[in-house]
Amino acid sequence: MAKTNPGNFFEDYTLGQRIEHAVPRTVSGGERALYHALYPARHALHSSDEFARACGLPGSPLDDLAAFHVVFGKTVPDVSLNAVANLGYAEGRFRVPVYFGDTLRSVSEVIGLKQNSNGKSGVVYVRTEGLNQRGEVVLDYVRWVMVRKRDLDAPAPETVIPDLAKVVPAESLIIPEGLDFTGYDFTLAGEPHRWGDYEVGEIIDHVDGVTIEEAEHMIATRLWQNTAKVHFDATFRPDGQRLIYGGHVISMARALSFNGLANAQLIAGINAGAHANPCFAGDTVKAWTEVLDKSETAAPGVGALRLRLVATKAGEAGQLMGEDGKYLPNVLLDLDYWVLVPV
């Protein structure tokens, strides 16, 4: 009996299949230290216990995207070990902050399947929940991934594409219990810009850039226990290049967005996301943001901004699509998400 696991291929998935992913993980200050070493992450709420307590929280929570990567990483051996590419995200909500000492695990359900016309691969849609040691859902999201077929003659499943919301409604965003920005310290946060200072349609060029290194990507992908072959094995792709984990690009772009959005302290939801083009070591990532919408919240001093965060390899801020309606070749990431800011 074979004891090794080659991972799931497209024909191994069935609609409604529930997958409980292995290896729970207890997070500590080590995750924060490594996260802040890998990215220029400087948001005050995730850097200082004292700042977080002044905002009504019991302490500084783990960076939202670090929690996302831990939950995501658990799913890779079962969902995307044999992936060609991770394609997109939707309906993401951050529900409960993650604190040091919390133990996270992941559970996924297959909610859609579509074989590609070439018969060599297919798209698998999964809804994933990350849970803590109390069984609370800390975050959940939908993603879809292109997965290779093992047996090209395996019959195609019935095509089911889930009907996903284009936007997480602002009224359904979950504000962390106790969050209060009425005494917010703008000096310590690094910028003076409030919720009311941002206008719908505004474009913010975050100016800075970071050249992606092979070594940092390997550290990041191992940190999140992401075992996808396209990230590690240079022989897995015809071009001999290791694909940079899309989450690495998301975190890099989010960190770069501090310059102009230093007060976007917490991520509340992910409306949509696409890895538009592959990223490889040596690419220099820059970022810009478009303000898509604004909403008030019931929490004291807290407002919500809906933002489009775009990571690019080159080009001017605001340039996204070509005349053919497709992403420009320099665009790496298009992420539509909600953040919480002081009013």
Side-chain angles (χ1 to χ4, degrees), residues 3 5 15 19 33 35 68 75 77 82 84 87 102-103 115 155 179 195 203 208 215 225 251 254 266 277 299 336:
K3 292 183 172 62
N5 176 20
L15 195 66
I19 306 170
Y35 188 84
F68 174 84
T75 72
N82 295 304
V84 179
L87 300 177
D102 283 347
T103 297
Q115 181 166 301
L179 188 67
W195 179 82
I203 301 290
D208 308 307
Q225 298 174 320
S251 281
R254 160 74 170 160
L266 291 166
N277 288 288
D336 179 340

Side-chain angles (χ1 to χ4, degrees), residues 266-309:
L266 291 166
I267 298 176
I270 295 176
N271 301 305
H275 297 293
N277 288 288
C279 180
F280 300 103
D283 289 342
T284 297
V285 176
K286 296 189 175 184
W288 56 268
T289 291
E290 179 184 2
V291 180
L292 298 178
D293 199 0
K294 302 171 65 174
S295 180
E296 298 177 347
T297 80
V302 179
L305 293 177
R306 181 185 167 200
L307 306 174
R308 164 176 260 164
L309 175 62

Side-chain angles (χ1 to χ4, degrees), residues 11-158:
E11 63 267 31
D12 296 324
Y13 297 99
T14 57
L15 195 66
Q17 179 181 359
R18 181 178 171 84
I19 306 170
E20 295 197 20
H21 305 290
V23 193
R25 179 157 175 176
T26 302
V27 299
S28 70
E31 274 79 9
R32 170 184 288 170
L34 276 170
Y35 188 84
H36 288 194
L38 288 164
Y39 312 104
R42 293 180 286 160
H43 288 91
L45 198 71
H46 295 301
S47 299
S48 166
D49 284 337
E50 293 304 315
F51 189 95
R53 291 187 188 109
C55 294
L57 300 182
S60 178
L62 184 66
D63 293 72
D64 301 307
L65 288 175
F68 174 84
H69 294 322
V70 170
V71 170
F72 184 102
K74 306 285 115 212
T75 72
V76 170
D78 300 309
V79 175
S80 47
L81 189 66
N82 295 304
V84 179
N86 190 45
L87 300 177
Y89 310 92
E91 295 187 357
R93 286 200 296 177
F94 292 76
R95 297 171 176 268
V96 177
V98 176
Y99 294 99
F100 303 147
D102 283 347
T103 297
L104 302 183
R105 60 187 177 90
S106 304
V107 178
S108 296
E109 180 184 356
V110 178
I111 61 171
L113 293 167
K114 180 183 183 296
Q115 181 166 301
N116 290 329
S117 58
N118 63 12
K120 297 178 180 179
S121 60
V123 179
V124 182
Y125 297 79
V126 297
R127 185 182 301 277
T128 295
E129 293 182 337
L131 301 100
N132 63 21
Q133 68 276 16
R134 293 179 295 275
E136 299 167 330
V137 178
V138 300
L139 63 92
D140 62 333
Y141 61 92
V142 173
R143 73 164 169 139
W144 47 105
V145 57
M146 188 185 303
V147 181
R148 301 172 188 272
K149 290 185 71 174
R150 177 196 299 108
D151 178 6
L152 300 186
D153 295 325
E158 178 185 357

